[in-house]
Amino acid sequence: QGCVRYKTCYYSFYLSCALALTYCGYDPETDEGKALFKKAEDVCMILGEYFQIQDDVLDAFAPPEVLGKIGTDIEDAKCSWLVCKALELVDDDQKKVLEEHYGKHDPEGVQKVKDLYKDLKLEEMYHSYEEEQKKTCDELIANIEPENFQDLFKFLLGKIYKRQK
């Protein structure tokens, strides 16, 4: 989660929003500015984590012709949300499948890992997670003052919610 926070949440979301707030004249040292920057950070932490998890799921499940690339997280032994969640849920036999095939450049082994993800219903779990994140973001965004800044965060959420690539 630390990697996601600094790689995706701050770098890809929060810093650009903080820059926009600063450009608009909000000072993070004033009470009003502190409150606004904190709300921006809260939304961006959720957006960034959601985006990274979504990216992991798309890498495994999206068709290459839609995604625009062939996902290789399994072959590359990436520490993705899918494998972390799988490790929480697997029994001993399923764990052996991961140990034998995760991180190997073998199409049959990759398929076995993807089949295990399907058996564990990780894609369905992700869709539930996605809806929870959308609801949480909507609630946080609705509490941002001044209201005109809500549009910035609605735009960002709209760009990633249910994205396919």
Side-chain angles (χ1 to χ4, degrees), residues 19-77:
L19 180 62
L21 295 175
T22 303
Y23 180 78
C24 291
Y26 287 92
D27 182 351
E29 299 301 317
T30 66
D31 289 342
E32 180 187 30
K34 279 181 189 170
L36 188 53
F37 278 78
K38 175 67 173 122
K39 287 180 180 184
E41 183 179 30
D42 291 345
V43 173
C44 289
M45 293 305 106
I46 292 168
L47 288 172
E49 179 181 281
Y50 165 39
F51 180 85
Q52 186 60 56
I53 291 171
Q54 182 182 62
D55 198 59
D56 294 345
V57 171
L58 290 172
D59 186 271
F61 294 112
E65 59 274 6
V66 174
L67 189 58
K69 65 175 187 163
I70 296 172
T72 60
D73 285 0
I74 294 169
E75 295 95 315
D76 296 339

Side-chain angles (χ1 to χ4, degrees), residues 94-138:
Q94 292 169 321
K95 187 174 184 180
K96 285 179 187 169
V97 171
L98 286 175
E99 289 171 346
E100 291 172 10
H101 301 289
Y102 203 78
K104 307 278 182 356
H105 290 268
D106 167 41
E108 287 179 22
V110 169
Q111 190 57 53
K112 287 180 182 182
V113 172
K114 288 182 180 184
D115 291 344
L116 175 61
Y117 289 169
K118 288 178 184 175
D119 292 344
L120 294 171
K121 301 189 182 328
L122 294 182
E123 198 170 11
E124 291 88 340
M125 232 181 262
Y126 163 74
H127 290 300
S128 295
Y129 165 84
E130 180 175 47
E131 294 308 318
E132 289 170 19
Q133 296 307 90
K134 168 83 164 64
K135 182 180 177 196
T136 300
C137 283
D138 285 341

